[in-house]
Amino acid sequence: MKKNLGLLALTGVIALASCSQGTTSGPTTHKLTINLNGPASADFDVTKTGGATDTVTVSGTFSKSYANGAYTVTPKAAPGFDTPSGQSADLNTADQALSFTYVKTNGPVITPPVVTPAAIKSISLVSLKDDTNALLPTKTEVNANKVATLFASQTEENVCAVVKVLDVNGNPLANANVTAESTGPDAYNVTISSCSSTVTTQATGGQKAPIVTDAQGFAKIRFFATYGNVNSNNNGDPIKFIINAESGGSSVAAPLELKGFFLNMSHLYVTEVGQDTRKAPNRIGSDVGTYNNIFVTPNTIPNDTNPTNAAIFNVQVYDKQPQTNLHNPQDFGGYVVYTLSGQDAARVHFVLTGAEDSISADGRTYTDRNPGSGIRIEPNADVTQAQVGAKPLQVDLKASYVFQAIFGNTTYDFPLKDITFHKKYTTGFLSINKSVDNHVLTWAGPDVTLAPTGTLPEPFLATYTITTKNQSTTDAVYNATVADQLPAELGVVVGSISNGGTYDAAKHAITWNYTGTPALQTIEANGTRTFTFQVFARQKPGYKFQSTAQSAGFTVQPYNGVANLPYSDPYPVTDGTQINDTTVSYFPQSGSFANQVVTDYDPTADESTINVVRPIYRLSKTLASGQQLNLVQGASANYVLNFSQRDRTTSGAPEDVLYPALFQKYPNEFSGAGQVAGQDVPRQNPYGYNVSLNDTFQTELDFTNATPITVTNAVPNTLTNPNITSPRSFNVTFPAGGANSATQYISWAPIGIFNGKDTASAAVQLTLSQLTNVNGGNRYINCAYLSSSNLNQPFTRSVEYLGSAANANLGTWYPTQNINAIWQPEVDGPNSTFGVLRTTVPGGNTAVQNGLESCAPVFDVKPLAPRLTLTTKGEYTDNNSAIIDANKKDGYSISTFGGNFYYKVDSQNTGGVATPVTLTFNLDDTTVVQFPAGGSYKLYRSTDGTTFVDTGLTAVRSAGGDQITFNNVTVPQNGFVRAVLAGDPNTKVGNTNMTTTEDYLGQQLQVLENTTTNP
């Protein structure tokens, strides 16, 4: 007796759910319904506790979904009616409906009219369909006592039953409640819900599931079996479904009865003995392509193991859960029917392989009842090699699995699954294979979806090799064409296409044609032709594919759709998975363009698969070891800047969950270790691209020194491309040669390629030259920034995924979706952030504040004694004592300036009062610049560094205009004095120094300002 593995007879326990098959943590929104009695319409305020107010207009009934929370609904006045009181609604756990009745002023309550529900005449089955909208097989039960419909399906596959409800007049009945229940002795899990996207009403806990009919009287009910049992025969009872309809207390007289068999079975797989196994992606209607063989004249090859050119095929299935090995569908009960068709069906024949099998009288149908025997076809005896050489022999085969169930005394046959494939015989036969040199590739950025063509440096490229070989040992083939329809996720380097191949931008395809590649005009017996090209990863892992005009006409579209679903991180992309996306076509006879043969490449493993990855960086700026956090004025702070990539293969972070398995499969692609024979060239994925480091600091901090960035790597390797060398050095590019307080930033040379295991560091020294005030404890901000073409971090609170900003704090990691911008508000690490809102650095350079940020402030110490510092603020076009930096000017044209400019110099006292102080200003060369006679020379005093008051002191100007002196100056406690001095460009082009000398109690401070004039 044949075993029936996986027959499901399910009844009893019903878990009612929505059509989504994923596990969720509960809805984040609920529906609020407002019913209005009285006026035709009225306005209401819907206010969330602690949140915003939404004003809505209600006419009759109004419904809207709101984020979970507590709400107050307040009615507004309606002309001619008294306004009712407000009500509260709790939308945290369930939908809420509120009713408001407006009473006419001095009038009665207005109530809606009573509608009498229509009586029900009947409920009938319209269709039963699967996930692909294909009809499921059904049979009418042989039963004199009732009318019931039997059907067959499989576990973990949606079954959508469409029913229609009519009223007593035979018209479609809208708004009727349709319920479904299951009965039977077996208690296996099944869910019942609506399969309409517009219907959400459900019940839970094994009760009826009310589903409302639409305007045409239709209701759609979903059955989803979650588990199958294993029986030794076909006599288990099916699951019984009773479907009823009710409207206003009136129920249908004869409920609808369905009975379903659910098999724990996958879709079909087909294998030709000696060739590959192919899977049907759908239950029915799948075409898995052509199996090719070389036809050899019988008895012409010594020791020929297949003298009749026979082809043997087996159709098999997996258990759905748990999956074990492939086995015969007959084990589930039933048989497989093979039908033969096509242009050459009369030139081949079936060969009987099993005692229980049969062949139809016309020879076109084979019924396989013997598990494991498969089917065998052979070309007829009168088929010759010359005939096949002139025109290939090709037939079509369709295998249909018929599930057979015994219920009562009746046997029912259900044609449940099928798979179509083809068999082709040729003489000269070109095979086609494809491989890629690296199976892991880093997305280089910056766009979410890059252009379809372009150029990138190594290691952001992978090389595909296509090889076509004439498998015949005797016959040549002619005028071949090799074509590759590239996946939309991969871009192509057009200049890398070898051997005269051309790129079709509209189809995103590469073609090598015999007209442009002479080597394809004749491919001799055993001849081989090889073609190569380079690709790069277009699509950013974890994000949605962005719609681009270039991608619209591609033959192979994005497998996640355009702006549909985010790609996984990492994600695989295989060149060659679709039928006829990578092919070689040719003609069997020289000079003839008849009977073209096409061979389709079908991947057998991962030989043409690329896995796309992306880096996650870490940046930290910290005080150097032993450095004090609190500084006195004039002291220096030393910092260490470190950055590297997070090891996504070992981090254990939720966004990195797929990386360990990828590392186990391709360790050399991540480790950069020495190359192993037969494996990919070593690399250190993921790679950073054009990585830049910048640093900016507060105005009171001055640049003192910075070291080059030193990049080290624990696994240097000259086999990689590019080579991994260690150490590498990247110099400071700004400032060059000293501090520049007007720009307040440091930049280093960019790192073009940043290997996955690189670690980088640099040191920075800053000096606290000024104090914000003299109270002590002031904070001085300085921050480092890391940017890159492919800088991106995990997003812990995705507003798009969670539906609203209000719910963002409820989320865990999910890929940011559908965003084109380079910089996103993302977070990584305890001491660094990556976001749009940057830390405010007073006086810092905002232009360098891009990418990953890490800040390390210092604090000042309150001075205990008077302390003077002297600072030149530069040259300006104005003499406003309170303006610093805004009108600063570094060079002056004698011919065009047309007036004085002004020097501004500060003396700051971080302690007690200093008096008397003498300030002297000397110009080295008055032929370049002089202090003009009658010029403005002012000395101002300030206690806060913001508000300056004229001291009234008179400046002493030398006769030669080369010196200005202020005597008996008092620098206030914890205050400033600021000199604003007119300067006049003279006739000589060149530069001069203005030296400021501050004398206090015999101790002098000096500061130098250099001025340049030009024609």
Side-chain angles (χ1 to χ4, degrees):
M1 178 178 292
K2 296 181 182 178
K3 289 186 178 180
N4 172 31
L5 301 177
L7 172 65
L8 175 63
L10 303 178
T11 55
V13 179
I14 307 173
L16 304 173
S18 69
C19 288
S20 170
Q21 298 180 29
T23 300
T24 67
S25 58
T28 58
T29 64
H30 284 93
K31 184 188 295 181
L32 173 65
T33 299
I34 300 175
N35 298 309
L36 173 65
N37 298 320
S41 66
D43 291 338
F44 290 78
D45 284 341
V46 181
T47 304
K48 184 177 182 181
T49 302
T53 296
D54 182 22
T55 300
V56 300
T57 299
V58 179
S59 299
T61 298
F62 169 87
S63 293
K64 182 176 180 180
S65 292
Y66 288 93
N68 293 353
Y71 290 79
T72 300
V73 182
T74 305
K76 294 190 173 182
F81 291 86
D82 293 333
T83 304
S85 300
Q87 301 182 41
S88 60
D90 185 355
L91 298 183
N92 282 300
T93 58
D95 298 343
Q96 293 288 315
L98 304 178
S99 295
F100 294 86
T101 299
Y102 282 73
V103 179
K104 262 192 175 184
T105 304
N106 298 323
V109 175
I110 304 298
T111 58
V114 177
V115 178
T116 302
I120 299 176
K121 176 182 179 181
S122 65
I123 182 171
S124 60
L125 177 67
V126 177
S127 64
L128 276 169
K129 295 184 178 181
D130 64 13
D131 279 333
T132 65
N133 208 35
L135 290 171
L136 288 164
T138 60
K139 297 288 183 181
T140 300
E141 182 183 354
V142 178
N143 192 327
N145 303 302
K146 64 166 65 179
V147 177
T149 299
L150 304 176
F151 69 91
S153 184
Q154 69 180 48
T155 59
E156 298 183 332
E157 179 178 278
N158 289 321
V159 174
C160 186
V162 180
V163 300
K164 189 169 187 177
V165 180
L166 300 179
D167 62 17
V168 291
N169 298 316
N171 298 317
L173 180 59
N175 299 318
N177 287 327
V178 176
T179 58
E181 294 181 280
S182 65
T183 62
D186 297 325
Y188 289 96
N189 293 325
V190 66
T191 65
I192 303 176
S193 61
S194 171
C195 51
S196 171
S197 60
T198 62
V199 178
T200 58
T201 305
Q202 302 171 36
T204 59
Q207 301 175 13
K208 298 178 181 179
I211 299 170
V212 179
T213 56
D214 62 17
Q216 288 75 43
F218 292 115
K220 299 179 180 179
I221 307 166
R222 187 191 77 156
F223 308 130
F224 185 84
T226 60
Y227 186 77
N229 64 343
V230 180
N231 292 334
S232 59
N233 54 61
N234 304 332
N235 295 320
D237 289 339
I239 182 172
K240 181 188 294 187
F241 299 98
I242 301 299
I243 303 176
N244 205 346
E246 179 271 335
S247 178
S250 172
S251 298
V252 65
L256 185 65
E257 182 173 333
L258 304 178
K259 298 177 180 179
F261 297 94
F262 293 90
L263 280 70
N264 184 30
M265 172 192 287
S266 71
H267 296 323
L268 300 182
Y269 290 74
V270 63
T271 306
E272 180 180 355
V273 174
Q275 298 203 49
D276 60 305
T277 298
R278 304 179 188 182
K279 174 188 177 181
N282 298 314
R283 181 178 62 85
I284 62 173
S286 298
D287 188 323
V288 296
T290 301
Y291 289 98
N292 293 282
N293 284 85
I294 295 176
F295 184 91
V296 178
T297 301
N299 303 315
T300 59
I301 300 177
N303 302 315
D304 189 356
T305 59
N306 188 14
T308 61
N309 295 291
I312 301 173
F313 297 94
N314 276 309
V315 168
Q316 296 177 296
V317 293
Y318 283 108
D319 286 317
K320 195 72 177 288
Q321 59 173 340
Q323 178 176 308
T324 54
N325 298 320
L326 283 168
H327 52 88
N328 305 297
Q330 293 94 328
D331 294 340
F332 288 80
Y335 50 92
V336 180
V337 177
Y338 296 83
T339 56
L340 187 63
S341 62
Q343 61 183 14
D344 295 318
R347 302 176 67 196
V348 301
H349 59 276
F350 287 112
V351 177
L352 201 63
T353 58
E356 300 178 33
D357 300 346
S358 60
I359 301 174
S360 64
D362 63 1
R364 299 296 181 90
T365 303
Y366 188 105
T367 302
D368 181 13
R369 298 180 181 276
N370 188 46
S373 62
I375 60 115
R376 178 186 181 113
I377 63 169
E378 295 178 358
N380 296 341
D382 60 354
V383 176
T384 67
Q385 188 166 359
Q387 292 173 336
V388 177
K391 182 182 180 182
L393 176 64
Q394 180 168 331
V395 295
D396 306 322
L397 288 156
K398 180 178 180 180
S400 300
Y401 167 62
V402 180
F403 167 64
Q404 193 172 74
I406 300 173
F407 186 57
N409 295 323
T410 305
T411 299
Y412 298 89
D413 287 357
F414 298 92
L416 185 58
K417 297 175 181 286
D418 65 54
I419 186 170
T420 297
F421 51 99
H422 313 276
K423 182 63 189 174
K424 181 185 291 185
Y425 292 93
T426 63
T427 52
F429 165 61
L430 290 184
S431 63
I432 184 168
N433 290 291
K434 182 186 295 184
S435 63
V436 68
D437 62 342
N438 283 95
H439 290 85
V440 179
L441 202 57
T442 300
W443 165 80
D447 295 330
V448 171
T449 305
L450 303 179
T453 61
T455 57
L456 284 171
E458 294 286 358
F460 298 102
L461 300 175
T463 299
Y464 273 108
T465 299
I466 297 177
T467 302
T468 182
K469 181 180 180 181
N470 188 350
Q471 298 292 339
S472 174
T473 60
T474 57
D475 296 309
V477 297
Y478 306 94
N479 297 330
T481 297
V482 176
D484 190 354
Q485 318 288 328
L486 297 175
E489 293 82 4
L490 296 179
V492 62
V493 181
V494 175
S496 70
I497 301 172
S498 70
N499 302 342
T502 59
Y503 173 71
D504 184 338
K507 296 180 179 179
H508 198 42
I510 302 172
T511 302
W512 291 268
N513 190 276
Y514 60 88
T515 59
T517 306
L520 290 172
Q521 293 174 4
T522 300
I523 301 181
E524 68 282 3
N526 289 321
T528 298
R529 304 291 185 267
T530 300
F531 309 93
T532 61
F533 61 94
Q534 289 182 311
V535 297
F536 57 87
R538 292 185 65 201
Q539 176 60 31
K540 179 178 181 179
Y543 282 59
K544 293 180 181 179
F545 193 95
Q546 303 299 294
S547 178
T548 60
Q550 303 105 311
S551 304
F554 287 3
T555 302
V556 182
Q557 286 290 302
Y559 67 77
N560 267 7
V562 174
N564 185 15
L565 294 173
Y567 283 72
S568 61
D569 180 10
Y571 67 87
V573 57
T574 302
D575 188 358
T577 56
Q578 295 189 13
I579 294 177
N580 292 331
D581 58 352
T582 303
T583 60
V584 58
S585 59
Y586 55 94
F587 298 91
Q589 290 183 307
S590 176
S592 172
F593 291 93
N595 304 314
Q596 186 181 40
V597 181
V598 179
T599 304
D600 180 32
Y601 163 70
D602 188 27
T604 59
D606 64 342
E607 72 274 8
S608 61
T609 297
I610 292 173
N611 298 273
V612 182
V613 298
R614 62 174 180 161
I616 290 179
Y617 299 85
R618 287 193 178 277
L619 169 69
S620 68
K621 179 175 184 178
T622 58
L623 288 169
S625 177
Q627 172 65 54
Q628 295 295 318
L629 179 63
N630 300 305
L631 305 178
V632 298
Q633 186 175 9
S636 295
N638 294 284
Y639 299 91
V640 177
L641 284 63
N642 293 297
F643 59 93
S644 61
Q645 289 190 43
R646 186 169 76 194
D647 188 346
R648 305 192 68 180
T649 68
T650 61
S651 72
E655 62 269 23
D656 298 343
V657 66
L658 300 178
Y659 278 80
L662 192 61
F663 171 76
Q664 291 297 321
K665 192 169 186 179
Y666 307 109
N668 290 348
E669 295 268 17
F670 291 92
S671 68
Q675 186 171 8
V676 178
Q679 295 189 10
D680 297 348
V681 173
R683 282 181 171 172
Q684 276 192 3
N685 286 290
Y687 287 92
Y689 187 33
N690 292 330
V691 179
S692 297
L693 181 66
N694 296 282
D695 192 278
T696 189
F697 38 90
Q698 195 164 324
T699 304
E700 289 78 6
L701 296 170
D702 285 349
F703 171 82
T704 306
N705 191 28
T707 67
I709 297 172
T710 299
V711 179
T712 59
N713 195 296
V715 193
N717 194 334
T718 58
L719 293 174
T720 60
N721 189 5
N723 295 344
I724 301 173
T725 58
S726 181
R728 294 184 289 161
S729 184
F730 298 86
N731 292 327
V732 175
T733 58
F734 187 88
N740 190 329
S741 61
T743 51
Q744 298 297 117
Y745 77 94
I746 310 167
S747 290
W748 286 263
I751 305 170
I753 304 297
F754 193 69
N755 302 293
K757 295 188 178 299
D758 280 346
T759 59
S761 64
V764 168
Q765 186 179 70
L766 302 175
T767 299
L768 182 61
S769 62
Q770 300 181 59
L771 301 181
T772 303
N773 57 55
V774 294
N775 297 322
N778 296 298
R779 184 172 181 255
Y780 300 91
I781 301 172
N782 49 100
C783 300
Y785 298 90
L786 188 74
S787 61
S788 162
S789 293
N790 60 351
L791 179 67
N792 51 94
Q793 310 299 122
F795 191 16
T796 57
R797 295 176 180 177
S798 171
V799 171
E800 180 175 358
Y801 176 62
L802 294 166
S804 70
N807 296 328
N809 63 334
L810 304 176
T812 55
W813 179 88
Y814 197 78
T816 305
Q817 305 171 22
N818 199 19
I819 300 175
N820 277 310
I822 298 173
W823 311 120
Q824 303 303 330
E826 303 174 333
V827 178
D828 178 54
N831 193 38
S832 59
T833 60
F834 178 65
V836 173
L837 298 177
R838 319 306 305 170
T839 298
T840 300
V841 182
N845 188 291
T846 58
V848 302
Q849 290 185 283
N850 291 321
L852 202 62
E853 175 188 89
S854 181
C855 300
V858 291
F859 299 85
D860 63 19
V861 176
K862 181 177 181 178
L864 300 178
R867 184 181 179 88
L868 297 174
T869 57
L870 191 62
T871 307
T872 176
K873 295 296 185 178
E875 303 101 343
Y876 296 80
T877 59
D878 69 274
N879 63 351
N880 188 325
S881 63
I883 296 178
I884 293 296
D885 294 336
N887 297 319
K888 190 171 183 179
K889 191 173 183 65
D890 291 324
Y892 297 89
S893 171
I894 295 172
S895 61
T896 62
F897 185 73
N900 296 334
F901 64 90
Y902 297 88
Y903 292 103
K904 296 182 183 181
V905 181
D906 280 3
S907 174
Q908 182 183 9
N909 183 2
T910 58
V913 175
T915 187
V917 173
T918 300
L919 291 171
T920 305
F921 309 87
N922 290 286
L923 290 169
D924 289 352
D925 189 347
T926 57
T927 64
V928 177
V929 174
Q930 64 179 346
F931 293 122
S936 174
Y937 308 103
K938 297 285 188 177
L939 189 67
Y940 298 87
R941 181 183 297 112
S942 174
T943 58
D944 59 5
T946 301
T947 303
F948 289 82
V949 179
D950 190 350
T951 62
L953 293 176
T954 300
V956 179
R957 175 183 177 273
S958 67
D962 63 337
Q963 185 182 81
I964 296 292
T965 303
F966 289 96
N967 295 304
N968 298 314
V969 176
T970 298
V971 184
Q973 179 178 343
N974 300 327
F976 292 76
V977 293
R978 176 170 292 164
V980 181
L981 312 174
D984 184 23
N986 213 334
T987 58
K988 181 179 176 180
V989 173
N991 62 76
T992 184
N993 292 325
M994 186 195 76
T995 303
T996 301
T997 302
E998 183 176 40
D999 188 297
Y1000 173 61
L1001 300 180
Q1003 299 186 38
Q1004 292 187 346
L1005 299 174
Q1006 283 191 336
V1007 66
L1008 189 73
E1009 179 68 31
N1010 181 268
T1011 303
T1012 301
T1013 63
N1014 49 68

